[in-house]
Amino acid sequence: MANLGDNAPPGRLEGRYAAMVVCWLLGNGCLFSWNSMLTIGDYYGYLFPRYHSARVLTLVYQPFALGTLAVLAYNEANLNTRRRNLLGYILFFIASAMVLVLDLATSGRGGLGTFIGICVVSGAFGVADAHVQGGMVGDLSFMQPEFIQSFLAGLAASGALTSALRLITKAAFENSKNGLRKGAILFFVISAAFEFLCVLLYAFVFPKLPIIKYYRSKAASEGSKTVSADLAAGGIQTLPEGDAEDPKRLERLGNKELLLQNIDYAIDMFLIYVLTLSIFPGFLSEDTGSHSLGTWYALVLIAMYNVWDLIGRYIPLIKFLKLESRKGLMIAILSRFLLIPAFYFTAQYGDQGWMIMLTSFLGLTNGYLTVCVFTSAPKGYKGPEQNALGNLLVLFLVGGIFAGVTLDWLWLIGKVFFLNGQFSQSSDLFGGVLLFFIG
């Protein structure tokens, strides 16, 4: 084994592009299974017509993700990152396989028991996501910004890929018997296979890339305890704690200090996702009315969101288009809340073209602002501090998702009040929200 102290910066950054590709694939794996479950929402809508599956599955997923991530972020400094990430990807693989097994075991029948089983799998996806997303973002935060950008782009690409696959499978099986079910089964066969690939990539490929070994060695020399197992997998022996030359060099800010210094970034992440998830996917799946695209309409909206979310995550690679001002980021993020009345009135009075445009803009700004925050926040900190800050930002991101998913039900509450004739068409949502809070 090589020694940590002998690990010099790699000449010409060997493995840089390979690392970016692997990060992109691992980002895909972090959300591929969950996006598959969301994208076959029309199948679950057919199986469970009374259970609002698009909303319920998301609402089940988020508490498990948020609760697990809170525990992991609090104990981040003492966790084995390799074990954490591998556990997450293995759980993704097992849960994806269980969806397939559940569908085959019930022969595609609905019912409460089957729905509860799907909800259990959704919760397992949430636990896996907390392990992988926080662990990977923290790990990549002390490396080159391009790596975390590639991982975040992979997260968005998983949505775009699953949407494209869903459109293809819907077209292929639309006129066949049990077409929806055949498409869903194909989805989760692909999903389980891809998650298994991610397990292999993280276990055997990623830790052996020279540039990854360099940045992990650098973090270990600054006092990080989370990278030891990954360094060992890459053939590097860490120095014993007693061999540290300068104890002050190993000092790091605690989570509280890091959070106070970056509270605006944390709020940014929360607000980005509380808005996005209050609209996507529940509102786009159920509350956009009837249009000429018919059953394709919700699928097209979700596909457009995912594609533009992916595009938005590459825009910050163009340096003069990247927003790094902390005040500018906050203004841009707060401005997005104008999308709430825009979506409401477009759903009531606009045609499908306007709705597709709004959905595309929602995805574009979500991806762009996410990358801007994640790549700007860690600058100027030591490796262990960057790891901790990455975990904290993901915690606020997931918190925003959970709050957004909860608020997403207000669209449904407003619609229910309208259908019951208690409010006029122009005020059903706002009156529903008011009544929800006061009574």
Side-chain angles (χ1 to χ4, degrees):
M1 274 192 173
N3 189 281
L4 178 61
D6 300 329
N7 199 47
R12 297 185 182 179
L13 302 176
E14 292 100 333
R16 178 171 178 262
Y17 293 108
M20 291 173 67
V21 171
V22 174
C23 286
W24 190 86
L25 290 171
L26 291 174
N28 258 277
C30 185
L31 284 182
F32 194 88
S33 296
W34 173 240
N35 278 323
S36 295
M37 181 173 276
L38 290 182
T39 307
I40 61 171
D42 53 345
Y43 175 58
Y44 287 137
Y46 167 75
L47 283 185
F48 315 111
R50 296 186 299 131
Y51 299 147
H52 302 287
S53 58
R55 286 185 166 96
V56 172
L57 291 176
T58 308
L59 195 59
V60 170
Y61 175 97
Q62 292 308 327
F64 284 95
L66 182 59
T68 305
L69 187 57
V71 173
L72 293 174
Y74 182 79
N75 297 288
E76 166 275 328
N78 299 311
L79 291 177
N80 182 326
T81 299
R82 179 175 177 80
R83 186 179 301 164
R84 172 182 176 175
N85 288 335
L86 279 175
L87 178 61
Y89 282 118
I90 290 170
L91 185 55
F92 272 129
F93 167 67
I94 293 172
S96 298
M98 287 306 298
V99 174
L100 186 60
V101 169
L102 185 62
D103 190 86
L104 294 174
T106 60
S107 301
R109 291 190 299 270
L112 182 60
T114 305
F115 187 67
I116 291 173
I118 295 294
C119 288
V120 170
V121 172
S122 179
F125 283 150
V127 174
D129 180 33
H131 279 78
V132 170
Q133 191 167 176
M136 286 299 299
V137 168
D139 206 22
L140 298 175
S141 291
F142 55 74
M143 302 183 193
Q144 291 189 348
E146 291 84 358
F147 294 169
I148 195 168
Q149 184 276 330
S150 293
F151 180 81
L152 295 172
L155 294 176
S158 68
L161 287 173
T162 52
S163 291
L165 282 171
R166 186 69 193 111
L167 293 173
I168 293 169
T169 56
K170 183 174 176 62
F173 296 121
E174 187 171 29
N175 296 320
S176 65
K177 186 178 180 181
N178 294 325
L180 276 176
R181 183 176 179 232
K182 291 177 181 177
I185 289 174
L186 178 61
F187 250 81
F188 277 97
V189 169
I190 296 171
S191 180
F194 188 76
E195 296 300 347
F196 185 68
L197 172 64
C198 288
V199 172
L200 299 179
L201 284 174
Y202 188 84
F204 302 111
V205 178
F206 193 59
K208 295 181 180 179
L209 296 173
I211 194 168
I212 300 301
K213 291 193 285 186
Y214 165 67
Y215 280 110
R216 282 176 169 163
S217 298
K218 183 173 180 289
S221 70
E222 294 172 341
S224 176
K225 300 176 183 178
T226 65
V227 296
S228 299
D230 278 312
L231 284 173
I236 295 177
Q237 180 64 54
T238 56
L239 293 173
E241 290 186 20
D243 292 350
E245 296 178 2
D246 183 4
K248 290 186 177 180
R249 189 182 180 190
L250 305 182
E251 293 178 357
R252 53 153 284 184
L253 295 173
N255 286 350
K256 183 178 180 180
E257 291 87 353
L258 284 169
L259 182 58
L260 289 174
Q261 290 181 15
N262 296 276
I263 191 64
D264 55 328
Y265 286 130
I267 293 172
D268 286 345
M269 294 309 306
F270 181 86
L271 294 178
I272 290 171
Y273 283 86
V274 76
L275 173 71
T276 298
L277 269 293
S278 67
I279 297 170
F280 175 88
F283 172 76
L284 299 184
S285 298
E286 294 191 31
D287 301 320
T288 51
S290 300
H291 298 275
S292 60
L293 287 172
T295 59
W296 288 82
Y297 187 52
L299 292 180
V300 169
L301 289 179
I302 291 172
M304 292 304 294
Y305 169 86
N306 285 323
V307 168
W308 283 98
D309 183 32
L310 175 60
I311 292 171
R313 294 181 189 227
Y314 281 99
I315 292 176
L317 289 177
I318 305 171
K319 193 169 184 179
F320 73 90
L321 293 178
K322 183 179 179 182
L323 182 59
E324 295 185 277
S325 164
R326 298 173 83 144
K327 186 180 293 185
L329 282 168
M330 183 62 75
I331 292 171
I333 289 164
L334 290 174
S335 299
R336 292 179 81 230
F337 281 83
L338 294 172
L339 287 171
I340 292 177
F343 268 98
Y344 172 71
F345 287 111
T346 301
Q348 294 291 319
Y349 309 112
D351 61 22
Q352 60 193 28
W354 286 104
M355 184 62 77
I356 290 171
M357 184 191 74
L358 276 178
T359 303
S360 301
F361 185 73
L362 178 72
L364 179 72
T365 54
N366 183 83
Y368 171 76
L369 293 169
T370 297
V371 172
C372 287
V373 173
F374 269 122
T375 54
S376 298
K379 291 180 179 178
Y381 290 102
K382 297 177 182 178
E385 295 167 341
Q386 292 170 321
N387 191 339
L389 181 57
N391 274 269
L392 289 172
L393 291 179
V394 172
L395 179 62
F396 275 82
L397 181 155
V398 175
I401 292 175
F402 182 50
V405 168
T406 305
L407 292 172
D408 181 51
W409 283 84
L410 294 180
W411 297 100
L412 184 62
I413 291 169
K415 185 168 73 172
V416 169
F417 279 123
F418 169 69
L419 292 174
N420 288 338
Q422 297 183 35
F423 295 92
S424 66
Q425 186 178 30
S426 63
S427 63
D428 61 330
L429 173 67
F430 302 107
V433 171
L434 180 61
L435 187 59
F436 177 81
F437 282 112
I438 65 176

